Structures are given as C-alpha cells and as structure tokens.
Amino acid sequence: MYVDYFDYVLALILIFLTWQMLRVKDLLTSIVLFIIFGMLIALAWMQLKAPDIALVEAVIGSALTGVLFLGALGYIESKSQVVYVEKKNVLITSRVYTISLTILTAFLGFILFLTMWKLPEQQVGLHHHAMSALPESGVKNPVTAVILNFRGYDTLLEIGVLLLVVIAVFALNATRLVIINTSLKRKSRILAAFLYLLSPLMVLVGFYMLWAGGHAPGGAFQAGAMLAGVGILMLMGGGSLPLSMKFRVMRFIYAIGFASFICVGILVGNETRHFLQYPPSLAKYLIFMIEIFATISIAATLVTLFAGCTGLLLAQEDHVVKVKGKSL
Amino acid sequence: MEIHQYVALSFLFVGVLFFIAGAFGLLRFPDTYSRLHALTKADNIGLGFIILGIAIEMGDLSVFIKLVLVWVLIIFSSATSCYLIARAALRMDKNEQE
C-alpha cells in the first residue's frame, strides 16, 4: 500500500518537473531539470519492474542526452560570448491559440486518463506468449529475446536510424577535419589520471553488460552507451579520436551494426524461413554476433554525436588540424 | 521485524539524513566552491550509510563486496567531477575579474 503512495508522489513530481522544465527561461536550469526528469523516469521504470529499460533510460535518455545538451549550450555560449542563454518568447502569443491548445491538451489528457481507468485488473498482454516461446529464442532474458528475436525488425530499423544520425552529424559539420586534437586548454591531468585508472574497468563492464544481456538485464544498447562514456570522457579530457568519414576503419565501424544485422537477416532466409527468422539451434550465436557489432556501432555513433553537438568536429582556431595519410 | 532489520533501517535513515543535509547545503551556501563541498562530501557519506544498510539487509558477502565497489567508484567519479567543476568555476571567476 505504501508503494502505491510512492508511485503517486513520483507521478506528481514528474508532472511538476515537466512544467518547470518548460517554464524556466534559463536554458542551463531546464537542461539540469531534464537530467533529473530522466533519472526519475528511470525510477518509474524500476517501479514497473523493467530493469533493462530503466538502465537504458538512465544512461542514454538522461545522462547522455543531458551531456549532449550541455555540450551544445557550452558551444553556443563560447561562440556568442554571452554568459547565459535565455529562451526567446514563443512566437505565437495570441490568446485564441493558447486557449485552444489548452482545451485540446486537456481533452487528450482526459481521454488517456479514461483509457487508463478502464484497463483490466489482470495483465492480458503478450507476456505469456513471450515466456512460452523463450526456449526457442536462444537467450534466457525475455527482454533480449523480444528485442533481438521476436521483434528483431524494430531493432534493425533503430540501428539503421543511428547510422543515419552519424551521416547527418558529418553532413552538418566540416568534413575537412581528420583527427581531433584538442588544445592544451582542455587537457586536465586529474581527468587523465581518472581515465588511466578506470577506463579498463569501464570497458570491461561494458563488454560484461553485452555478455550478460543473454541472461540478465543488459544488452547491446547499454554496453554501447557504456563504451561511449569512455570515449566521451576521453574527448573531454583532451584526447584525440579519429572521428571522420575519411578513414576506411571508421566507416566500417559506423556501418557494421546495421550491415551485420541485415546480412544475418538475409542469410537465414531460405525456402522455409523468412527474413530475420533465425533457426532455433543457431539463434544464440547469431544474436550474440549481432549484439557485438551493434555495440561497436552504437558506441562510435554516440561519441560522434557528442563531438558533433559540442562543436568539436568543426575546425576552430584552438583545434589543431592534422592530416594523416589517405587511409588507415 | 527482527533486530538486524531495525539496524539496517537506522543506517538507511542516517544516509537519507546526510543526503538531505547535502541538498540543503547546495541550496543555502553562498558560493560554488562551498556548494561543491556540501555535495560531494555529504552525498558520498550518505551513500556509504545507505550501502551499509542494504548490505546488512541482504546479508550476502558477494553482494556486499559489489556494493562497496560501487561506493568506491562513485567516490572516485564524484571527486573528479568536483575538481573539474571547481576548475571551470575558478576560470570563470578569473575571466570576470579581468
């Protein structure tokens, strides 16, 4: 019973946080509120007994997206020499617009509330079907089975979206830059020592989460986010990473997740099986192979996103552009 | 509830008190540097107490070792980020003074 009260309070806090996030004029404050909001959503996922999704939300949805926002804000401020960035007022301020939008939103909220009120007491979802088909899927974790086997097509398209994101980041930034070598102003010995001591552990935990995805909360996205964390810390501490489309190796790394998924999907199909229908005897190995390549791709994509959002990919006066050979 | 659950509950309570103290310090201290003091020190000690409480409740040695490792890693990372924030704040103050 007390747990119910906690859920109600959590829901009210989430609504309050959202209101404040949109109301506050200072962008830094709303970004911090966004990070807190993401962490509380992860807590809500845990209340719904979904640890995998809570992991992904806390790492990617809250922490990584918050870092991207903060990096972009810092880049804007450094470029325009203002101390803090204020949100401009909404373009449309007419009273009719405000009132009609309020009525529409309240109506939608009311309908959603009615739907939730009328939900049956017992779950009539696909839980039973998923658990009964679990032995054939090749993994012991039902979430991984759903993501990579039963609904593999969705994950395939998600990884394709990540590849599109990398292309978009490079399209919006200068592509002349070959290796990022940040200036001495950014280098920090404490961060370098921290990375020196802890990045082996972080890489190990990342690959362990990849391996554990088969039987416990984990998987490709969580492992990729962990490895991306190492890359982002390296960039923040003044390291240099070869983030560019000019290297064959980097093009390979960006594309291998999507490509391996498609190849596996095509190669398993024959007269009796469809695209992406793994044979049950090989399912475990196929899923693991797809997850390994997806992890590498996801990590590289997230680090490139960070570099793009923070302005590190643009050739600026305090970055040294070094041109290495034609290809690595 | 048995005696060890009472002990665990009291440790959790003390940990939460330290977290509240840290949050209070964050709101009330005048300066970035003193706020960093309140955040890193009070929050880490609060986390240590919470982990002690969880470990007493769980009673398993391997879980306890993992939790202590989590605590040590959080201390590392919060100390590093505290240093970086203080360095950035110092740089901003120096730029404002010039």
Side-chain angles (χ1 to χ4, degrees), chain A residues 16-28:
Chain A
F16 175 69
L17 267 182
T18 316
W19 173 52
Q20 289 291 18
M21 205 193 320
L22 295 171
R23 188 189 80 118
V24 169
K25 284 253 173 9
D26 179 21
L27 272 181
L28 182 63

Side-chain angles (χ1 to χ4, degrees), chain A residues 42-235:
Chain A
L43 191 60
W45 283 123
M46 279 310 296
Q47 288 294 101
L48 292 170
K49 302 209 176 31
D52 296 60
I53 309 181
L55 256 180
V56 175
E57 170 69 36
V59 176
I60 300 184
S62 166
L64 196 84
T65 316
V67 163
L68 292 180
F69 279 141
L70 283 174
L73 183 65
Y75 179 63
I76 294 174
E77 286 180 0
S78 73
K79 273 289 142 185
S80 49
Q81 273 107 25
V82 292
V83 176
Y84 86 18
V85 186
E86 216 184 58
K87 276 190 280 198
K88 298 275 195 296
N89 278 324
V90 180
L91 288 174
I92 308 174
T93 49
S94 73
R95 190 134 287 229
V96 174
Y97 177 78
T98 314
I99 290 183
S100 57
L101 200 62
T102 311
I103 292 179
L104 204 62
T105 316
F107 182 59
L108 186 64
F110 181 61
I111 291 189
L112 285 174
F113 180 69
L114 273 184
T115 315
M116 190 199 70
W117 196 259
K118 286 201 190 305
L119 278 178
E121 197 54 49
Q122 281 301 112
Q123 289 272 22
V124 290
L126 292 168
H127 183 247
H128 182 66
H129 293 265
M131 293 305 276
S132 58
L134 194 59
E136 296 170 359
S137 68
V139 291
K140 293 201 199 60
N141 184 14
V143 177
T144 306
V146 167
I147 291 180
L148 283 168
N149 196 342
F150 303 148
R151 294 288 220 194
Y153 194 51
D154 298 354
T155 312
L156 170 70
L157 293 180
E158 281 168 13
I159 299 182
V161 165
L162 283 179
L163 180 59
L164 278 178
V165 160
V166 170
I167 297 176
V169 165
F170 281 119
L172 287 173
N173 291 287
T175 52
R176 287 177 295 122
L177 191 62
V178 175
I179 291 191
I180 304 169
N181 198 1
T182 50
S183 69
L184 276 175
K185 222 177 0 173
R186 262 182 196 267
K187 281 200 207 296
S188 158
R189 286 200 205 118
I190 298 269
L191 190 55
F194 177 78
L195 273 179
Y196 184 75
L197 282 178
L198 285 182
S199 54
L201 187 63
M202 288 200 266
V203 170
L204 185 66
V205 170
F207 280 116
Y208 172 71
M209 278 206 280
L210 170 65
W211 173 255
H215 55 85
F221 283 95
Q222 291 88 329
M226 185 89 195
L227 295 175
V230 181
I232 290 179
L233 278 177
M234 271 207 279
L235 282 181

